[in-house]
Amino acid sequence: MKKIAIITGASGGLGKEFVSRLISEVDELWAIGRNVSKLEALKNENGSQGEKIIPLQMDLSDIKSFDILSSKLHSENETDGIEISWLINNAGAGRFGPSKDFSTEELNVSITCHCTAIASICNICIPYMKAGNHLVNIASQSAFSPLPYINLYAATKAFVYSYTRALGEELKDSGIIVTAVCPGWIKTGLIVESLNGKKVHFPLLTTADKVAAKALKDARRGKPVSIYKLSVRYIAWLQKHLNNSISVRVWAKLVEKYVKK
Ligand SMILES: NC(=O)c1ccc[n+]([C@@H]2O[C@H](COP(=O)([O-])OP(=O)(O)OC[C@H]3O[C@@H](n4cnc5c(N)ncnc54)[C@H](OP(=O)(O)O)[C@@H]3O)[C@@H](O)[C@H]2O)c1
C-alpha cells in the first residue's frame, strides 16, 4: 500500500510550505498545478525527498482535468494500492475589482476552481482515505463576511468554508479528519503590491510558513477550523457575529480608495 499526499496549488506560496512539511511522511506527493515547470522545480527545492514529487498538470478551472486525477488514482490503486494520507485542496486565485467588471469567463474560472474542483476532488479522493487520514481545504478569513471588491473571491471562499464544515460532520464516522483553513492576508503570489498606482496595505499580513505550520498542527489535533493567528481569529469572530451590513460597509470604506480610479 502506497501512502500519498495530494496537494493542489503545490507550487504557490502556501502550497510549497505544505509540500516541504509533508513530504517526509509519505511515499509519494502528487503536486497539482497548471505550470508543470514550477511543479518540476519543487523536486530540486525539496532536496533528497524531491524525487517523491509527482507533478500532475491540471487546470482546475476545467472540469475535464479532474479525470486526470481519478484515472491515476484508479490505475495506481490497481497495481500498488493507494492510501491518501493528506489531501490539501489549496489552489486558488482572485483579484480586487468591482463585481460588474468580471466577465462570465472569469466568474466561471473562479467558481469552478474554488467550488466545483474542491467538492469534486474530495469525492474523487475520499474512497482512498480511511480513519486518521486528513482532508484539508483552504478557505480564507474572507469566508466570514460578504466583501465588496473581492466579492467573487469571498463568496467562493464562503462556499469552501461551509462545504468543508458540513463534510467534516458527514465523514465523522469514517474517522477522516476534515479541516477548513481560514487565513488572513499572506505574503504570496496572490496579493498585489499596488492597485491603480496606489500601494496596497494589507493589515496583519503574515508569511506562508506560519499559516501552513498552524494549519497542519490544527489538522493533526482534529480541529475542524484553523485560523492563524489570534488577531485574525478575533476579526473573523467579529465578521461572523457582527451584523453583515456593518462589516460590509467597513470593508468597502477600506478598499474603495484602491479600487476606484
Ligand atoms: N495569500 C493570501 O493572502 C491568502 C489569504 C487567504 C487564503 N489564501 C488561499 O491560499 C491558497 C494558496 O494561495 P497562495 O496565497 O499560496 O497563492 P499563490 O502563491 O498565487 O499560489 C496559488 C497556487 O494555485 C495554483 N493555481 C491557481 N489557479 C489554478 C488553477 N486554475 N488550476 C490549478 N492550479 C491553480 C497556482 O499554480 P499555477 O499558476 O501553476 O496553476 C499556485 O500554485 C488559495 O486558495 C488562496 O485563496 C491566500
Side-chain angles (χ1 to χ4, degrees):
M1 179 73 71
K2 196 157 64 177
K3 281 190 185 230
I4 67 166
I6 297 176
I7 301 177
T8 73
S11 59
L14 195 53
K16 277 185 185 187
E17 294 294 333
F18 287 126
V19 170
S20 65
R21 283 174 162 74
L22 292 177
I23 194 148
S24 63
E25 296 181 23
V26 291
D27 301 313
E28 280 181 8
L29 189 149
W30 296 6
I32 294 175
R34 289 166 300 184
N35 184 323
V36 81
S37 54
K38 283 203 274 175
L39 297 173
E40 287 288 350
L42 285 172
K43 292 186 180 191
N44 286 335
E45 290 165 22
N46 284 278
S48 59
Q49 299 278 331
E51 63 190 24
K52 294 183 187 173
I53 293 172
I54 313 290
L56 288 187
Q57 187 179 25
M58 292 168 58
D59 180 347
L60 298 174
S61 66
D62 175 3
I63 60 168
K64 290 197 285 299
S65 75
F66 311 159
D67 293 341
I68 297 170
L69 180 61
S70 49
S71 307
K72 188 168 169 64
L73 280 167
H74 180 76
S75 67
E76 301 234 353
N77 191 48
E78 297 275 282
T79 46
D80 298 326
I82 288 282
E83 177 186 336
I84 302 173
S85 306
W86 288 87
L87 166 63
I88 307 198
N89 279 303
N90 164 72
R95 69 172 177 91
F96 285 95
S99 301
K100 66 178 176 47
D101 293 351
F102 283 66
S103 66
T104 302
E105 171 64 15
E106 196 169 359
L107 295 170
N108 190 40
V109 163
S110 189
I111 291 168
T112 308
C113 184
H114 290 167
C115 306
T116 317
I118 288 186
S120 300
I121 291 176
C122 288
N123 284 354
I124 289 166
C125 291
I126 286 165
Y128 302 93
M129 301 179 81
K130 62 177 196 187
N133 296 155
H134 289 277
L135 192 164
V136 177
N137 289 338
I138 310 302
S140 163
Q141 182 196 347
S142 67
F144 300 125
S145 166
L147 297 177
Y149 308 113
I150 52 166
N151 184 5
L152 174 63
Y153 179 82
T156 58
K157 291 298 185 177
F159 170 91
V160 179
Y161 174 76
S162 177
Y163 186 84
T164 308
R165 293 299 311 272
L167 185 67
E169 199 58 33
E170 289 177 23
L171 293 180
K172 228 173 186 170
D173 291 345
S174 72
I176 298 170
I177 301 151
V178 179
T179 304
V181 178
C182 303
W185 296 115
I186 318 166
K187 200 167 167 33
T188 66
L190 187 126
I191 63 169
V192 287
E193 292 272 305
S194 64
L195 265 175
N196 296 318
K198 285 160 249 173
K199 189 170 163 35
V200 183
H201 170 65
F202 291 97
L204 304 175
L205 185 67
T206 188
T207 51
D209 59 329
K210 292 189 175 118
V211 174
K214 167 83 172 145
L216 296 180
K217 188 172 165 191
D218 285 342
R220 290 184 206 282
R221 287 177 170 174
K223 291 200 175 174
V225 181
S226 172
I227 304 178
Y228 177 84
K229 54 189 173 177
L230 194 63
S231 47
V232 179
R233 277 212 296 282
Y234 177 64
I235 295 170
W237 186 89
L238 283 177
Q239 284 177 299
K240 266 199 280 187
H241 295 92
L242 267 184
N243 179 332
N244 269 169
S245 58
I246 300 175
S247 52
V248 168
R249 263 183 282 141
V250 170
W251 173 263
K253 268 262 163 302
L254 286 173
V255 293
E256 258 162 15
K257 59 178 180 283
Y258 302 118
V259 179
K260 291 198 170 161
K261 292 178 189 160

